[in-house]
Amino acid sequence: MNSGRALRPRSGRHRSRAITPIAIAVAALTLSACGGGGKSGGGGDTNFVTNSGGITTVARAERTSVNEIAGETLEGKKLDVADLKGKVVVLNVWGSWCPPCRAEAPHFAKVAKETEAKGVTFVGINTRDPNKGPALAFEKDYGVEYPSLYDPTGKLILSGFPKGTLNPQAIPSTIVLDRDGKIAARSLMALNEDKLRKMIDPLIAEK
């Protein structure tokens, strides 16, 4: 009888240790995955402004740099977002399993091509795909030619965006960085071409 009672707390402690911060973050992201709407952003007293289209922006003087967002792409190449400073960077969090991601993908592929000459670079962050096969097929099916970092456990999503900033809270999410590598705009829903351009164009115009 004594040994039976001793097993219960030990098992409970073991389960508690197994719950890592990354697991908690991925679980939270899962709850809002492929939702139609979004949460407002990042913290208490902020200078974030959300327009009627669900796009949240930050005044230039109030922007914060991202943390390190670097790793291996779906194609097996190394990519570090820090190397893209000087360009407007569109970060899109997506998964091949996500219907809204599939809906927005053709718009992203089109706008990425059309804005490249204006100094805009697109980078995907592919998450919750346990292997690369479906994600690579997704890129081929929708003509996505820009690279995507492979982030199956959500580690980059958790660590790449400082607390209190506009960070990804849903799948899909889109974060746009200005030319200084600072977070300037965010959407927590699937975007069409018009809404995507509304996020990007003001940053292209900044000098």
Side-chain angles (χ1 to χ4, degrees):
M1 295 295 290
N2 289 340
S3 61
R5 285 194 299 271
L7 286 173
R8 292 189 183 92
R10 183 164 62 247
S11 176
R13 287 194 300 270
H14 178 74
R15 284 195 300 270
S16 176
R17 287 194 299 270
I19 301 174
T20 66
I22 290 175
I24 292 170
V26 173
L29 198 62
T30 300
L31 292 176
S32 55
C34 286
K39 305 172 186 176
S40 61
D45 183 17
T46 70
N47 291 299
F48 306 154
V49 178
T50 304
N51 69 21
S52 58
I55 296 170
T56 306
T57 60
V58 188
R60 193 168 188 173
E62 304 295 334
R63 294 173 189 167
T64 303
S65 297
V66 291
N67 296 328
E68 183 180 47
I69 303 176
E72 185 177 287
T73 68
L74 288 169
E75 291 75 19
K77 298 179 180 179
K78 297 296 183 182
L79 189 154
D80 189 340
V81 170
D83 294 336
L84 302 175
K85 280 188 178 180
K87 297 180 178 292
V88 174
V89 180
V90 181
L91 300 172
N92 179 242
V93 179
W94 64 279
S96 67
W97 43 269
C98 169
C101 300
R102 294 194 289 270
E104 72 176 7
H107 302 290
F108 276 70
K110 180 176 185 291
V111 175
K113 291 178 181 178
E114 293 178 353
T115 58
E116 184 177 5
K118 298 179 180 180
V120 180
T121 296
F122 280 60
V123 176
I125 302 178
N126 172 254
T127 192
R128 290 182 57 209
D129 273 310
N131 60 73
K132 294 181 178 181
L136 288 167
F138 177 104
E139 289 186 329
K140 182 178 180 181
D141 289 345
Y142 293 103
V144 177
E145 297 180 358
Y146 55 83
S148 282
L149 289 161
Y150 184 50
D151 188 31
T153 65
K155 183 178 180 181
L156 293 178
I157 297 169
L158 174 65
S159 64
F161 300 87
K163 184 178 179 181
T165 64
L166 295 178
N167 47 64
Q169 297 176 4
I171 302 170
S173 286
T174 301
I175 311 287
V176 184
L177 310 182
D178 64 18
R179 290 187 177 90
D180 295 321
K182 295 183 177 182
I183 301 168
R186 178 189 68 181
S187 172
L188 298 177
M189 62 185 71
L191 298 172
N192 59 25
E193 179 180 348
D194 181 59
K195 288 185 177 180
L196 182 55
R197 288 184 181 277
K198 284 180 179 178
M199 290 184 74
I200 299 170
D201 287 349
L203 296 170
I204 293 174
E206 287 184 355
K207 302 299 181 182

